[in-house]
């Protein structure tokens, strides 16, 4: 195989509301932190341990505006995108690096009655397409069209 792949899929909770930045020409950029958790049992102590990993999510243009409108701190969301590391300089001229997830698709997972408004359940960040409803990952038996 000669190709490469840069793809990230995350399900987590937002750590803050979406912060928007607007540019000349009408483009916009939204940023928000996303927390994912890993839980396991320590074999030596029997103690339950939870580790939280924070991810910096970047969404662009119309998708950013949708996220700003419907995503609130604490909402559960599915994010799909790619990892990008950005180099920048601090006030003293030192090189700094930030790793971000550039979102290409997202699905709101917080139920409407728990969300800040009447949020749509699914949205694609780049091109709208119809997707199966994602309220749960299992299909109903009567929707199953498999022959066995």
């Amino acid at each position: 195989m000669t190709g490469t792949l840069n793809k990230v899929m995350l399900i987590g909770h937002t750590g803050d509301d979406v912060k928007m930045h607007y540019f000349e020409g009408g483009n916009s950029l939204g940023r928000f932190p996303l927390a994912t958790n890993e839980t396991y049992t320590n074999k030596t102590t029997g103690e339950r341990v939870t580790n939280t990993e924070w991810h910096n999510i970047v969404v662009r243009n119309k998708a950013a505006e949708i996220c700003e409108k419907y995503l609130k701190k604490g909402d559960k969301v599915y994010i799909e995108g790619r990892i990008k590391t950005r180099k920048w300089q601090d006030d003293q001229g030192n090189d700094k690096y930030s790793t971000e997830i550039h979102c290409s698709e997202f699905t709101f997972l917080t139920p409407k009655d728990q969300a800040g408004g009447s949020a749509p359940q699914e949205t694609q960040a780049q091109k709208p397409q119809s997707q199966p409803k994602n309220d749960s990952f299992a299909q109903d038996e009567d929707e199953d069209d498999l022959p066995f």
Side-chain angles (χ1 to χ4, degrees), residues 18-103:
V18 178
K19 305 293 186 223
M20 293 295 292
H21 303 277
Y22 296 94
F23 304 100
E24 291 180 19
N27 290 331
S28 61
L29 188 81
R31 296 178 182 275
F32 61 93
L34 186 77
T36 57
N37 297 316
E38 173 189 19
T39 303
Y40 62 92
T41 302
N42 184 322
K43 290 184 180 181
T44 57
T45 65
E47 178 185 359
R48 196 111 167 112
V49 180
T50 300
N51 291 327
T52 301
E53 184 75 29
W54 287 96
H55 311 275
N56 297 313
I57 308 299
V58 177
V59 189
R60 297 184 178 279
N61 301 321
K62 185 66 175 171
E65 294 171 16
I66 292 169
C67 285
E68 178 191 32
K69 184 174 181 179
Y70 295 110
L71 274 182
K72 301 297 176 219
K73 181 178 180 177
D75 283 351
K76 192 171 188 180
V77 63
Y78 165 80
I79 299 288
E80 193 170 308
R82 60 187 179 88
I83 296 176
K84 186 166 186 177
T85 302
R86 191 170 46 91
K87 182 179 175 182
W88 52 281
Q89 291 187 338
D90 65 10
D91 296 337
Q92 291 78 35
N94 299 319
D95 287 344
K96 299 286 183 174
Y97 297 89
S98 297
T99 301
E100 303 168 328
I101 307 300
H102 284 236
C103 178

Side-chain angles (χ1 to χ4, degrees), residues 78-140:
Y78 165 80
I79 299 288
E80 193 170 308
R82 60 187 179 88
I83 296 176
K84 186 166 186 177
T85 302
R86 191 170 46 91
K87 182 179 175 182
W88 52 281
Q89 291 187 338
D90 65 10
D91 296 337
Q92 291 78 35
N94 299 319
D95 287 344
K96 299 286 183 174
Y97 297 89
S98 297
T99 301
E100 303 168 328
I101 307 300
H102 284 236
C103 178
S104 58
E105 296 182 34
F106 57 86
T107 302
F108 301 142
L109 300 176
T110 299
K112 290 181 187 179
D113 59 345
Q114 294 177 13
S118 58
Q121 289 297 308
E122 299 125 28
T123 307
Q124 278 220 309
Q126 300 299 331
K127 299 178 242 174
Q129 293 178 354
S130 63
Q131 295 177 340
K133 188 166 176 128
N134 201 11
D135 288 338
S136 70
F137 291 104
Q139 283 186 323
D140 291 338

